[in-house]
Amino acid sequence: MSTANCAVSFFFTSVLKDTAAARLAAVAPYLGYARKDRRTQSRDPLAARYVARMFEDAGTDRVVTVDVHNLAAFRNAFSCQTENLGTRGTFVRHYVWRVGKHEVSVYSPDVGG
């Protein structure tokens, strides 16, 4: 989510809540700054927590994401309801018949990936 898109989303969410929406659920397939959930140096910002506050301040009652980087940190950052949709099973079902009995390697830049 780019900065401009993020701002527009929060403005739109706030307007919906201000105009009497009973409940709001934000669906964020990609949650910007979700990987910035811990300090690696002193005074590092916890951007994931700040994004969570922005959602909540805008009046969001529930946040739905897809394959968030660190599930525990994601849930701890929010005080509203959260739901993370996993895609691992979907990808496995999609590719297993294509691969057959061939060996497969999966690479990631880090352990969390």
Side-chain angles (χ1 to χ4, degrees):
M1 190 182 292
S2 73
T3 306
N5 289 340
C6 188
V8 169
S9 297
F10 292 121
F11 292 148
F12 185 67
T13 303
S14 297
V15 167
L16 290 173
K17 197 66 170 189
D18 289 346
T19 56
R23 299 197 36 85
L24 286 175
V27 179
Y30 174 76
L31 187 62
Y33 300 104
R35 292 180 61 98
K36 189 63 182 137
D37 56 8
R38 63 187 172 87
R39 287 189 171 91
T40 54
Q41 297 178 7
S42 66
R43 299 189 198 141
D44 261 356
L46 296 173
R49 197 175 291 168
Y50 306 149
V51 169
R53 283 189 201 149
M54 287 172 39
F55 272 109
E56 292 166 355
D57 289 348
T60 305
D61 300 298
R62 180 184 195 137
V63 177
V64 180
T65 59
V66 177
D67 280 332
V68 74
H69 178 67
N70 181 337
L71 188 56
F74 165 66
R75 289 186 174 147
N76 287 334
F78 287 86
S79 58
C80 66
Q81 278 187 308
T82 58
E83 186 171 351
N84 180 59
L85 305 176
T87 60
R88 183 177 299 171
T90 303
F91 280 110
V92 169
R93 284 189 301 276
H94 179 76
Y95 286 107
V96 75
W97 69 273
R98 287 176 170 81
V99 173
K101 295 185 183 203
H102 299 286
E103 288 188 28
V104 175
S105 296
V106 177
Y107 295 93
S108 174
D110 59 22
V111 176

